[in-house]
């Protein structure tokens, strides 16, 4: 039986934070707040590199994944394939299946049949790319978590939402997250180069279609000039690439980054970039906020969440 809060729950949205640690932390919070022990089928939806694996690690600590982002572990994939082909039900209480990878080895109906068998045996199945399995399985998940620029947690009813619709939303919004993270990294190294501002003097926060840097002390920056500097780097059409788990490359420069798989491939893909032309003071955190936007809409900042999350006018 669901508790009343879960029964009446339609959907919740969270910012998809930068960095594995924050994603894992949020995943843990989501499982505590939204997951019921009656939930046997969990659908995870989002494009490659959106942070699904980190979110799953936070929601289900200890669950062995068949893959980790774009890194395929052939041994685990083959184990999952053999397990499905043989109809083997192990003592494990929870299973992780990645439909995109498994569909390269098995027919969709075979995967669907195995998922039904697991559920009949009261096992919990965490299905990555659940939108690809939905039609073959013929039923919706007990809980769906979609990740794009935002993280959507929803408990479907007979009225939906269906996983394909959640995918459409997060697929379209992910581009803003990639643009914002890339612009954020350019802003960070230009702050150090042009103004000698060390990254330890601020921390990151979130805003829809943009980024926020929070300073404990007000910094003197001509934001008109600084915006022009950032735009000049963006206009150079520099390639952006993963370097290692803590760095990316922008052109020839190696840049610190705690989310190295969440950038665009080239700075020319960053569109409609702009800075809010004043540092906004956050009375709650007692910080001065430098705000970058990637949709050219720097107006009505104090009411931005209403437009972007509640009214969804944009």
């Amino acid at each position: 039986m669901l508790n009343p809060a879960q029964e009446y729950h339609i959907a919740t949205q969270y910012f998809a934070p930068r960095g594995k640690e924050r994603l894992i932390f949020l995943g843990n919070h989501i499982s505590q707040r939204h997951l019921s022990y009656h939930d046997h089928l969990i659908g995870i939806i989002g494009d490659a590199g959106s942070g699904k694996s980190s979110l799953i690690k936070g929601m289900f600590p200890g669950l062995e994944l068949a893959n980790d982002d774009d890194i395929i572990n052939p041994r685990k994939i083959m184990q999952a394939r053999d397990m499905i082909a043989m109809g083997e039900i192990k003592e494990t209480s929870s299973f992780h299946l990645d439909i995109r990878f498994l569909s390269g080895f098995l027919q969709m109906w075979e995967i669907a049949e195995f998922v039904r068998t697991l559920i009949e045996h009261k096992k919990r199945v965490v299905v990555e790319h659940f939108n690809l399995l939905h039609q073959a399985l013929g039923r919706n998940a007990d809980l769906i978590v979609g990740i794009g620029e935002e993280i959507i947690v929803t408990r479907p009813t007979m009225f939906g939402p269906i996983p394909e619709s959640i995918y459409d939303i997060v697929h379209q919004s992910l581009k803003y997250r990639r643009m914002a993270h890339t612009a954020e990294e350019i802003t960070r190294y230009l702050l150090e180069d042009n103004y000698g501002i060390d990254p330890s003097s601020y921390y990151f926060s979130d805003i829809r279609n943009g980024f926020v840097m929070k300073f404990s002390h007000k910094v003197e920056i001509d934001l008109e000039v600084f915006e022009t500097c950032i735009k000049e780097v963006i206009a150079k059409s520099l390639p952006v690439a993963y370097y290692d788990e803590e760095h990316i490359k922008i052109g020839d420069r190696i840049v610190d980054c705690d989310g190295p798989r969440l950038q665009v491939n080239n700075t020319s893909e960053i569109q409609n970039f702009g800075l809010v032309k004043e540092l906004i003071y956050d009375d709650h955190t007692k910080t001065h906020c430098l705000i970058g936007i990637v949709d050219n809409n720097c107006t009505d900042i104090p009411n931005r969440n209403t437009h972007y999350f509640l009214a969804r006018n944009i």
Side-chain angles (χ1 to χ4, degrees):
M1 178 181 293
L2 298 176
N3 69 45
Q6 291 172 328
E7 182 179 3
Y8 304 140
H9 174 246
I10 298 174
T12 300
Q13 291 191 45
Y14 299 88
F15 286 116
R18 54 175 290 142
K20 283 187 176 181
E21 186 174 342
R22 292 175 69 193
L23 275 169
I24 291 172
F25 175 85
L26 181 56
N28 183 260
H29 168 80
I30 289 172
S31 66
Q32 293 183 33
R33 183 164 185 175
H34 298 282
L35 197 61
S36 164
Y37 65 91
H38 290 288
D39 294 333
H40 291 289
L41 181 57
I42 315 300
I44 308 294
I45 296 170
D47 285 323
S50 60
K52 297 188 301 300
S53 296
S54 295
L55 201 66
I56 293 171
K57 288 175 183 175
M59 291 184 67
F60 307 100
L63 180 65
E64 190 175 28
L65 305 189
N67 66 298
D68 189 350
D69 289 330
D70 293 335
I71 303 171
I72 304 172
N73 186 327
R75 180 183 63 81
K76 294 177 183 176
I77 289 290
M78 295 304 288
Q79 283 179 345
R81 186 202 67 171
D82 294 342
M83 185 173 62
I84 292 175
M86 298 171 64
E88 181 181 4
I89 307 298
K90 296 184 175 181
E91 294 302 318
T92 308
S93 60
S94 298
F95 292 76
H96 169 258
L97 301 177
D98 186 313
I99 303 305
R100 176 168 291 177
F101 290 120
L102 286 174
S103 61
F105 303 98
L106 293 161
Q107 297 293 317
M108 197 62 77
W109 68 266
E110 295 178 284
I111 303 172
E113 184 62 31
F114 183 65
V115 171
R116 293 190 197 97
T117 303
L118 289 174
I119 294 173
E120 288 171 1
H121 284 75
K122 307 297 183 186
K123 305 293 185 182
R124 171 171 286 168
V125 193
V126 180
V127 180
E128 205 167 329
H129 299 291
F130 179 67
N131 51 302
L132 301 178
L133 181 67
H134 178 223
Q135 291 299 322
L137 189 62
R139 60 158 287 182
N140 211 332
D142 297 315
L143 190 75
I144 293 178
V145 180
I147 178 169
E149 186 189 25
E150 70 284 82
I151 293 175
I152 300 172
V153 183
T154 181
R155 185 172 292 282
T157 70
M158 60 182 290
F159 304 110
I162 61 174
E164 292 88 343
S165 297
I166 298 297
Y167 175 77
D168 289 341
I169 295 170
V170 296
H171 172 69
Q172 292 177 21
S173 71
L174 184 61
K175 66 178 181 182
Y176 293 102
R177 187 169 163 213
R178 294 186 189 279
M179 288 194 294
H181 281 330
T182 310
E184 188 177 35
E185 303 303 347
I186 294 170
T187 302
R188 178 158 70 165
Y189 81 66
L190 287 179
L191 277 173
E192 193 164 5
D193 288 357
N194 296 2
Y195 300 96
I197 297 175
D198 189 85
S200 61
S201 61
Y202 56 85
Y203 64 93
F204 297 100
S205 186
D206 301 294
I207 184 174
R208 189 76 180 263
N209 295 4
F211 61 86
V212 181
M213 296 175 169
K214 294 196 166 191
F215 297 82
S216 56
H217 302 286
K218 191 171 184 178
V219 291
E220 296 299 328
I221 301 174
D222 185 328
L223 294 174
E224 290 279 1
V225 173
F226 190 41
E227 181 187 87
T228 300
C229 294
I230 298 169
K231 287 182 173 178
E232 286 175 353
V233 173
I234 291 172
K236 291 180 180 177
S237 299
L238 299 173
V240 182
Y242 170 91
Y243 185 77
D244 61 27
E245 285 300 301
E246 296 180 348
H247 301 87
I248 60 172
K249 283 190 74 175
I250 300 178
D252 295 328
R253 180 164 183 153
I254 299 173
V255 180
D256 292 340
C257 180
D258 56 5
R261 301 176 189 276
L262 287 170
Q263 281 73 35
V264 296
N265 295 319
N266 192 290
T267 58
S268 63
E269 297 175 36
I270 302 172
Q271 300 174 355
N272 301 314
F273 173 78
L275 289 178
V276 176
K277 299 306 183 298
E278 62 175 320
L279 297 181
I280 305 294
Y281 184 70
D282 183 349
D283 191 54
H284 179 67
T285 59
K286 311 299 181 188
T287 54
H288 302 269
C289 302
L290 173 63
I291 301 171
I293 301 294
V294 291
D295 62 11
N296 221 16
N297 181 17
C298 295
T299 61
D300 203 13
I301 294 297
N303 202 28
R304 192 174 177 88
N305 282 348
T306 301
H307 299 306
Y308 283 73
F309 288 103
L310 303 180
R312 299 197 67 88
N313 292 327
I314 301 174

